[in-house]
Amino acid sequence: MGLSERTLARLLTQQTGMSFGRWRQQLHLMLAVKWLGTGASVQQVADELGYESAGGFVTMFRKALGTSPGRYMTERQAAG
């Protein structure tokens, strides 16, 4: 794209109101919910998103959404 990392981070903040780290976490959460909804395992999702362990992914997910991926998906399916 021809942009420096700093310029890209600044533009991202201007356009989304989020830091790069926050934007990346939101992207990971959206992808995780999508993949878990198609039947992917927590381990598969963690691997696809680049986490070293499923536990690290679960910790991020729980901090962001207040519950584990399994419970989140169960509640989402029950509501839908």
Side-chain angles (χ1 to χ4, degrees), residues 16-78:
T16 67
M18 291 183 264
S19 67
F20 175 76
R22 180 74 173 137
W23 176 83
R24 184 172 171 261
Q25 181 185 46
Q26 291 298 309
L27 177 61
H28 280 189
L29 289 167
M30 290 184 337
L31 291 171
V33 169
K34 177 182 176 183
W35 293 336
L36 290 167
T38 64
S41 70
V42 170
Q43 183 65 58
Q44 289 170 321
V45 173
D47 290 344
E48 285 294 319
L49 294 176
Y51 285 85
E52 289 187 24
S53 69
F57 165 71
V58 170
T59 298
M60 179 280 297
F61 195 99
R62 188 182 311 261
K63 284 182 181 178
L65 298 178
T67 190
S68 69
R71 182 167 288 153
Y72 179 87
M73 295 308 294
T74 298
E75 291 172 0
R76 182 180 162 122
Q77 291 168 352

Side-chain angles (χ1 to χ4, degrees), residues 6-20 23:
R6 186 173 174 187
T7 299
L8 183 59
R10 187 172 52 251
L11 288 171
L12 187 64
T13 300
Q14 288 173 355
Q15 295 294 317
T16 67
M18 291 183 264
S19 67
F20 175 76
W23 176 83

